Amino acid sequence: MKGFLDAQFQQLQLLQDESNPDFVAEVVSLFFEDSERLLTDLTSALEQQNIDFKKVDAHVHQFKGSSSSIGALRVKNDCIAFRNFCEEQNIEGCLRCLQQLKQDYYLVKSKLEALIRLEQQIVAACGTIPMEELSS
């Protein structure tokens, strides 16, 4: 997951224990729900005749915050670039960033889904997950 997730994801994993074994899966699931809604909102906002760049920037700011909270590094970095184009009111730059954001989001989503499936299989087999190895 190197390059996709930063240390924040490992911090989330450390909060998961026997009393809350699905913590990471639940947080990631909420991230997916928020992200899908934000991508839809961003796409819609950028398709308007008169683009409200403040509204677009607000959506991107929210996306940046949620991606930061789970450690989705590439998505967070895409949002930083996207916000710069919003500030410049550069529609072409915003559209390029939206495509890159979608690509990186769906990539990290597939990797996180695979990781969570593997963790659930390990736990179901009565194993434990070595947290320090997941971040490398």
Side-chain angles (χ1 to χ4, degrees):
M1 298 294 266
K2 202 171 202 111
F4 290 95
L5 299 173
D6 62 21
Q8 182 61 34
F9 187 74
Q10 189 175 11
Q11 293 300 313
L12 278 180
Q13 290 175 312
L14 294 174
L15 295 172
Q16 182 168 290
D17 58 20
E18 292 81 26
S19 67
N20 196 357
D22 296 324
F23 178 75
V24 173
E26 290 169 4
V27 171
V28 168
S29 178
L30 289 172
F31 170 68
F32 292 160
E33 289 173 25
D34 285 347
S35 297
E36 299 288 338
R37 179 184 49 78
L38 288 166
L39 286 172
T40 299
D41 291 348
L42 282 167
T43 301
S44 175
L46 288 172
E47 289 173 346
Q48 299 304 309
Q49 187 72 32
N50 294 312
I51 296 170
D52 182 347
F53 285 97
K54 286 186 184 202
K55 186 177 185 180
V56 173
D57 184 61
H59 292 315
V60 176
H61 180 70
Q62 189 176 354
F63 208 156
K64 179 179 168 248
S66 62
S67 62
S68 293
S69 71
I70 69 148
L73 184 62
R74 283 189 183 184
V75 173
K76 179 184 81 171
N77 289 339
D78 291 341
C79 289
I80 292 168
F82 202 150
R83 291 195 73 199
N84 290 333
F85 285 118
C86 285
E87 191 175 307
E88 297 169 3
Q89 298 192 358
N90 180 332
I91 182 64
E92 291 81 14
C94 286
L95 290 170
R96 279 194 312 273
C97 279
L98 178 60
Q99 291 311 310
Q100 187 64 50
L101 183 60
K102 285 179 179 180
Q103 180 180 331
D104 287 340
Y105 164 71
Y106 287 114
L107 195 55
V108 79
K109 180 180 181 188
S110 78
K111 290 183 177 294
L112 283 170
E113 287 171 336
L115 177 64
I116 289 168
R117 272 194 309 275
L118 287 171
E119 286 184 358
Q120 289 170 338
Q121 290 169 353
I122 291 168
V123 171
C126 298
T128 58
I129 300 166
M131 292 302 165
E132 62 277 354
E133 291 182 21
L134 290 176
S135 63
S136 21

